[in-house]
Amino acid sequence: YQQMLLVVKLPRVRELLLVLFTWKAGFACTDAAFFLKLQDKGFSKESITYLRTIMSPIEFVMPILASHYTTGPRPLDLAMWQYVPRLLLGAVACGLVAYTPEEIGWEFTAVVMLFMAVHSAMSTSMFTAQMAFFARVSDPEIGGSYMTLLNTFANLGYLWTTMVATRLVDMLTVKSEDGEVEIDGFYATSMLTLGLGLIWFVLMRHRVESIQVAHMSSWRVAAIRRGRATSTL
């Protein structure tokens, strides 16, 4: 635990934790509510489960394809290249929910499958870039615990943003006295998270760049230990 506290005290690690804790906000509504809304519109849960099974090869192949871009000194470039396009998928998700036909045929199912394929490819490659960066900066003196700490914060960033997005969808949904939905909070929440994601990209992309080009010594716990030793002299 003392080693983990030392890791968190590193300025570069704190910067990275800020990024990890916030960068999923722009995708939160799509990740949390899109498939639930499709089900509300009549798209069966079984069909979604089947389509997710079809996406499995993409999740297997994408890390291999992404490795061409993540094995070098700038693995996060891959994630940042896809950040805005993935945000725009939120607008596409709104369109799919809004125009879900009453009779769902193979044409609409094919469109949903294409959406899922693109979404899966982007999310998997961004995750690959993230893990490649963790592996690159982790202090070898600590081992896997360093990567576990970073991955834990990344997971927390996903969890709190999707929880808030789900809550916002419920709060912004207006129903009539007989329970019919008059205003669906999914659309407002989707646009809100998309806007937050664009703001995040503008404000944080340079911070991500500075994190990525930081000298490797700034990620090492030994830097703090040397500082302590110097202060005691």
Side-chain angles (χ1 to χ4, degrees), residues 102-123:
E102 292 184 6
E103 295 292 331
I104 297 175
W106 69 266
E107 299 94 339
F108 185 76
T109 300
V111 172
V112 172
M113 184 171 67
L114 177 61
F115 173 89
M116 291 177 67
V118 175
H119 180 270
S120 179
M122 286 187 172
S123 60

Side-chain angles (χ1 to χ4, degrees), residues 50-70:
Y50 177 70
L51 291 178
R52 279 178 168 163
T53 302
I54 296 176
M55 296 302 112
S56 297
I58 294 177
E59 296 177 358
F60 175 76
V61 171
M62 280 310 300
I64 300 173
L65 297 178
S67 64
H68 176 72
Y69 302 96
T70 59

Side-chain angles (χ1 to χ4, degrees), residues 24-82:
K24 296 287 182 65
F27 320 129
C29 187
T30 303
D31 290 348
F34 171 65
F35 293 111
L36 294 176
K37 287 300 172 182
L38 277 185
Q39 290 180 51
D40 290 344
K41 292 283 188 171
F43 205 92
S44 70
K45 184 177 181 180
E46 292 75 17
S47 296
I48 293 173
T49 302
Y50 177 70
L51 291 178
R52 279 178 168 163
T53 302
I54 296 176
M55 296 302 112
S56 297
I58 294 177
E59 296 177 358
F60 175 76
V61 171
M62 280 310 300
I64 300 173
L65 297 178
S67 64
H68 176 72
Y69 302 96
T70 59
T71 53
R74 303 174 61 89
L76 292 180
D77 281 352
L78 179 62
M80 299 307 290
W81 291 338
Q82 297 180 80

Side-chain angles (χ1 to χ4, degrees), residues 10 15 20 69 77 80-81 88 149 151 155 175 224:
L10 292 168
E15 281 189 275
L20 296 175
Y69 302 96
D77 281 352
M80 299 307 290
W81 291 338
L88 296 178
L149 175 69
N151 201 41
N155 291 335
K175 295 183 178 181
I224 291 180

